[in-house]
């Protein structure tokens, strides 16, 4: 039972310690502690300065007393009152001792005050440096924490949600586009374009024949040229014409020669 109680206490204080060991919280507490030390330091410096001022006043008081006692001793001597002068002389001796002691204390007080000011200046410089360093570390920690959150968000975005839906919709559109393109190609392949061209050419020939028929009926057909007739006759009896033509030409030339000789 006692052991379980101890474990419970440890677990309780363990959570508190773990929360207190947070670097950010510790740095924030350190900054507050450093700033809180300034008023206490100012109070201490004020105490040292007050002691120095008090000693300065004592020195001035003893110097004034010594001056007054010296004047009284001289006056008593001038009045032939050595008894009074002796009493003032003892007081003067005591005042001189007090003045020497006060001056010695004032010397240490002034040194203490100067040292306190130097310590404060060095402390403030070190405090500002540490606070600046702590603030930069905390800002870096905040940036890192924010970057971690952004990274988590990006990882979630890449692993699912919008990213998955986006890719799925793009794939669907690509598939639909590919299907429509395939249907268009199949539809074009199924059409007999050659037959359509043949029919179009046949219609052109038929139209040309009809126009030629109209021209013939109207008597506007042109007579075939001599070259076309010779070409047509050559095409019909090409072999016979080529054999007979030289003999006729030769007979004509022989008759002409005989006539010229006679």
């Amino acid at each position: 039972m006692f052991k379980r109680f101890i474990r419970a206490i440890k677990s309780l204080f363990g959570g508190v310690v773990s929360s207190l060991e947070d670097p950010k919280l510790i740095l924030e507490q350190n900054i507050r502690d450093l700033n809180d030390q300034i008023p206490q330091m100012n109070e201490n410096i004020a105490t040292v300065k007050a002691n120095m001022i008090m000693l300065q006043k004592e020195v001035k008081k003893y110097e004034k007393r010594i001056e007054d006692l010296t004047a009284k001793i001289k006056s008593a001597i001038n009045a032939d009152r050595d008894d009074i002068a002796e009493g003032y002389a003892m007081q003067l001796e005591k005042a001189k001792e007090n003045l020497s002691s006060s001056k010695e204390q004032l010397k240490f007080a002034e040194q203490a005050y100067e040292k306190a000011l130097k310590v404060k200046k060095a402390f403030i410089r070190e405090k500002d440096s540490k606070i600046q360093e702590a603030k930069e570390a905390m800002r870096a920690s905040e940036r890192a924490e924010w970057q971690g959150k952004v990274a988590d968000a990006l990882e979630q975005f890449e692993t699912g949600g919008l990213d998955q839906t986006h890719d799925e919709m793009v794939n669907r559109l690509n598939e639909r586009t590919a299907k429509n393109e395939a249907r268009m190609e199949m539809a074009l392949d199924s059409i007999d374009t050659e037959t359509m061209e043949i029919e179009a050419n046949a219609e052109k020939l038929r139209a040309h024949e009809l126009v030629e028929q109209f021209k013939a009926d109207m008597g506007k057909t042109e007579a075939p040229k001599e070259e076309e007739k010779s070409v047509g006759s050559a095409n019909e009896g090409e072999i016979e014409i080529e054999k007979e033509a030289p003999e006729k030409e030769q007979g004509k030339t022989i008759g002409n020669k005989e006539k010229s000789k006679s």
Side-chain angles (χ1 to χ4, degrees):
M1 182 71 179
F2 181 74
K3 291 182 179 180
R4 277 188 288 175
F5 176 74
I6 294 297
R7 284 197 298 269
I9 293 297
K10 286 183 178 180
S11 63
L12 176 62
F13 284 97
V16 175
V17 171
S18 62
S19 62
L20 292 177
E21 288 179 353
D22 186 356
K24 184 178 179 181
L25 296 178
I26 293 174
L27 288 175
E28 290 175 350
Q29 184 62 42
N30 289 343
I31 292 173
R32 287 192 294 269
D33 293 341
L34 290 171
N35 289 325
D36 291 341
Q37 289 183 27
I38 298 298
Q40 184 65 35
M41 183 173 291
N42 290 334
E43 186 177 351
N44 294 335
I45 293 174
T47 302
V48 174
K49 186 176 183 179
N51 183 47
M52 181 185 69
I53 294 172
M54 183 183 66
L55 290 171
Q56 289 174 348
K57 290 180 178 181
E58 285 185 0
V59 168
K60 290 180 180 180
K61 182 184 72 173
Y62 287 129
E63 288 177 347
K64 183 70 171 59
R65 183 170 176 77
I66 289 172
E67 184 180 351
D68 292 342
L69 289 172
T70 301
K72 288 179 180 180
I73 291 171
K74 290 180 179 180
S75 296
I77 292 173
N78 289 331
D80 293 330
R81 296 294 306 268
D82 291 345
D83 56 338
I84 297 175
E86 290 175 356
Y88 286 142
M90 293 302 295
Q91 293 180 15
L92 178 62
E93 190 69 20
K94 185 64 175 177
K96 287 182 177 179
E97 291 178 358
N98 291 333
L99 177 61
S100 177
S101 176
S102 296
K103 284 185 176 180
E104 190 70 21
Q105 293 178 11
L106 177 61
K107 180 181 178 181
F108 288 114
E110 289 174 347
Q111 292 176 355
Y113 179 67
E114 291 177 0
K115 186 176 181 180
L117 291 177
K118 291 179 180 179
V119 170
K120 178 184 177 182
K121 186 177 181 180
F123 176 80
I124 290 176
R125 184 170 59 250
E126 186 67 17
K127 174 188 74 72
D128 293 341
S129 176
K130 288 187 177 296
I131 289 176
Q132 184 65 25
E133 184 180 6
K135 288 182 177 180
E136 289 178 359
M138 287 189 291
R139 284 194 292 268
S141 176
E142 291 176 356
R143 287 194 299 269
E145 185 178 357
W146 173 249
Q147 289 173 356
K149 292 180 180 179
V150 173
D152 293 339
L154 290 176
E155 288 175 357
Q156 293 176 2
F157 177 78
E158 290 176 357
T159 55
L162 293 176
D163 188 53
Q164 183 177 359
T165 306
H166 175 80
D167 292 340
E168 184 178 355
M169 295 302 104
V170 169
N171 291 333
R172 287 186 181 180
L173 286 177
N174 291 335
E175 290 178 0
R176 185 181 299 176
T177 302
K179 288 181 180 178
N180 290 332
E181 290 178 354
R183 290 179 60 191
M184 177 61 72
E185 290 179 359
M186 293 177 64
L188 292 174
D189 291 340
S190 63
I191 297 174
D192 191 357
T193 56
E194 293 182 358
T195 303
M196 295 174 66
E197 291 178 358
I198 292 171
E199 291 178 355
N201 292 331
E203 290 180 357
K204 289 181 181 180
L205 292 173
R206 179 60 178 165
H208 181 70
E209 291 176 358
L210 291 174
V211 171
E212 292 297 329
Q213 183 65 37
F214 273 103
K215 287 181 178 181
D217 294 340
M218 295 171 64
K220 291 187 177 183
T221 56
E222 296 178 357
K225 297 179 181 181
E226 295 295 331
E227 294 179 356
E228 292 178 356
K229 290 180 180 181
S230 62
V231 171
S233 60
N235 289 334
E236 292 176 358
E238 184 175 356
I239 297 173
E240 295 177 357
I241 292 170
E242 289 179 355
K243 290 181 179 180
E244 295 177 355
E247 293 179 355
K248 290 180 179 181
E249 292 177 357
Q250 188 176 5
K252 290 179 181 180
T253 53
I254 292 170
N256 291 332
K257 288 180 181 180
E258 289 179 352
K259 289 178 180 182
S260 62
K261 287 180 180 180
S262 58

